[in-house]
Amino acid sequence: MKSWFKVALMFLCVQSAWAQAVTPSAAPKDRPAAQKSALDAMLFYQLLLGELNVRGGAPGSGFSIILDAARKTKDPLVFQRAVDVALQSRSGDAALQAAQAWKSAIPESTEANRYLLQILLALNRLDEAGQALSVSIRELPANERATAIASIPRVFARVQDKKLAADTVEKALQTALKQAPTSASAWTTVGRMRREAGQLALAVEATRQGLLADATASGPLVLALSLVSAAPTELWPLIHQAMRGPVSPDLRLGYARLLIGQLSYTQALEQLEKINTDEPTFADAWWVHGLLLIETGQWQLAEQKLLKHVGMVPALQDKGAPEGLTESLMALAQIAQRKGQWTQAQQWLAQVPADADPVKLASRQADLLSQQGRLDEARLTLERIRANTPELAIRKALVQSQWLRDNKQAADAYALVKQSLAQHPQNTQLMSELAMVSEKLKRFDEMEALLRELMKRKPDDPHAFNALGYSLADRNIRLPEARELIVRALQLAPNDAYIQDSLGWVAFRQGQLAEALQLLQTAYKAKPDAEIAAHLGEVLWVMGQRDAAAVIWREGLLLKPDNETLAETLKRFQFKP
């Protein structure tokens, strides 16, 4: 506990945190602008002697002399020098002694109490640190307390026992928790520390108390957004309520992103539209909005949002590379490509910043080349990705395999993923991709073995359950088991349109047409997709609603004309669009 590295490093870190939060200037507040010096010839000699001892290799003697001078003069700068000498000589106990003497000599000194808190934390004396924290907060001006309280988690960040740190801070903040001006900030700090300690139930309760204390405060709301996945029942209603009022665009965007993660696209679009309307200069909302509109099949409106974002870039560049620029440019290239405007698509890609994700960029370039029939160039583009980290190597293999699958080169994809999996045998993404390739090659036993292994490794991940269930349903075998697997996947991801599509497809295979129609219509509304369109159209056709089926199939062709499932379905029914 007394090692120099631990004491000095923590001291400097904590000092910086407190200084940023509550200290408007570097000079101690305790010292008046002008005062009569208590320094006489004897004290001057004493201080000089102390400094000479420090510089001459006797810091212990120098510390004692300087501390004695500090007690005589009651000068905060001399006390501070005594603390510094103790720290430089790697003596945490001596530094604590000097800080305690400083506080005893000048009880009203907020600076002394801050030093005392910092040193106690460095020495891991949490109970005493908690007392010093309580005093520090109490002694601050009222208008500085909430900001200082918000900085406490950083001050305590290096404490190893997170639970004890959280207990200490909550005890120190008892008064602040009950006072209206500081209640929301105090509960947020308690919640953050409980979260770091892994005490999620207590963190959620602190968040709830913070929101109840001040529904307009940003701190509790930020904390709620970070915890909502751990306690959706308790926190979603509070978040929804808070979002009905005025909040910062950053928070509303965070809320929208959470909704996107929950696949609640309609609600997310409403929030993004509100930001665009209320805060039109908030650039990030434009590109997120555009990408979500693409996801929901609203291409024309998506293009408008993305063009707006790209148009804002010149005004933003003095602040560094604008966030989302790469995503906007790639999405605009995708839209142009969809229109057959290949030159325009390439022009958008040429504007992508040099530090863009190489895998994303190469994938988009390869897709553009593929649409023009330049398959050799597309494949070479993916092969040339520089994978200088294991993570990039895995992503490169995945994007190559997907391209090979899409272009009916499954055997090459299988060999490539097999080789990559041999190098990264624990990677579940490669296992999942190998399962998909194995299905393409009709190696169903291998596919099932891989998916069942994934279910064991990641029992809370719905994708392996859905993939096996759908494969069984598509092959029209073991349908009760297929339904059971897909229902399990839907329980894990109830808003996933692709899993709803799978359940609709197994219902169709089981002859339950009304259920199949309802499920597939819901899935297609949530996620307009060519494959879902193929299934929904087939159900409508079999039910005698051929005009409705034709409309859906034509929409599917507009979404992705080369979708394999849709193409096979139209061929089987001899449907000519």
Side-chain angles (χ1 to χ4, degrees), residues 47 249 328 331 348 357 404 577:
L47 286 170
S328 286
W348 287 124
D357 184 324
L404 290 166

Side-chain angles (χ1 to χ4, degrees), residues 104-307:
S104 176
I106 315 174
E108 70 278 9
S109 170
T110 57
E111 195 72 14
N113 203 69
R114 287 177 200 154
Y115 268 79
L116 188 60
L117 170 62
Q118 294 157 8
I119 296 165
L120 287 167
L121 281 172
L123 295 173
N124 206 31
R125 294 167 67 163
L126 290 190
D127 189 55
E128 296 170 75
Q131 296 172 27
L133 173 62
S134 182
V135 172
S136 286
I137 296 298
R138 186 172 65 247
E139 291 180 346
L140 283 170
N143 63 347
E144 294 182 5
R145 288 175 190 159
T147 304
I149 289 169
S151 76
I152 289 173
R154 287 188 290 120
V155 174
F156 279 74
R158 292 181 180 272
V159 176
Q160 295 299 311
D161 190 333
K162 301 300 183 185
K163 180 181 179 302
L164 181 57
D167 291 342
T168 300
V169 169
E170 184 165 358
K171 182 179 178 182
L173 293 179
Q174 282 304 302
T175 301
L177 290 167
K178 298 170 185 175
Q179 294 177 339
T182 55
S183 182
S185 180
W187 279 116
T188 301
T189 287
V190 170
R192 288 171 62 190
M193 298 199 67
R194 294 297 181 190
R195 181 188 62 191
E196 293 306 308
Q199 298 174 300
L200 295 184
L202 292 176
V204 168
E205 177 57 22
T207 305
R208 192 181 71 83
Q209 293 289 349
L211 286 169
L212 292 175
D214 185 354
T216 65
S218 61
L221 190 51
V222 171
L223 186 59
L225 293 174
S226 75
L227 287 168
V228 67
S229 60
T233 304
E234 295 90 339
L235 292 181
W236 269 124
L238 294 173
I239 294 172
H240 292 325
Q241 180 63 35
M243 287 296 169
R244 294 191 184 102
V247 298
S248 71
D250 286 296
L251 279 176
R252 196 170 296 282
L253 181 59
Y255 177 52
R257 282 172 158 155
L258 271 179
L259 291 170
I260 293 170
Q262 295 287 316
L263 305 181
S264 300
Y265 293 158
T266 301
Q267 296 94 315
L269 287 169
E270 290 172 358
Q271 295 299 318
L272 292 165
E273 188 61 45
K274 182 171 178 58
I275 302 174
N276 291 162
T277 302
D278 296 346
E279 303 282 350
T281 60
F282 187 72
D284 290 356
W286 291 101
W287 67 268
V288 175
H289 199 170
L291 295 184
L292 183 54
L293 287 166
I294 288 178
E295 185 71 14
T296 56
Q298 301 176 65
W299 295 85
Q300 185 174 354
L301 189 54
E303 186 175 24
Q304 295 173 17
K305 304 292 183 182
L306 295 165
L307 286 171

Side-chain angles (χ1 to χ4, degrees), residues 47-58 62:
L47 286 170
L48 180 60
L49 181 62
E51 291 295 342
L52 289 172
N53 273 272
V54 172
R55 294 172 183 269

Side-chain angles (χ1 to χ4, degrees), residues 392-406:
L392 271 178
I394 290 168
R395 292 180 57 217
K396 176 181 177 179
L398 290 169
V399 76
Q400 285 181 285
S401 177
Q402 183 177 345
W403 185 89
L404 290 166
R405 277 196 289 119
D406 290 344

Side-chain angles (χ1 to χ4, degrees), residues 22 31 41 97 146 170 176 238 249 254 296 373 404 408-409 411 439 448 461 463 490 494 515 538 543-545:
V22 300
R31 187 164 189 165
Q97 178 190 355
E170 184 165 358
L238 294 173
T296 56
L404 290 166
K408 298 180 174 58
Q409 300 180 50
E439 184 184 38
E448 183 165 343
D461 187 336
H463 300 298
L490 202 57
E515 180 190 6
E538 182 163 347
M543 294 179 74
Q545 301 180 41

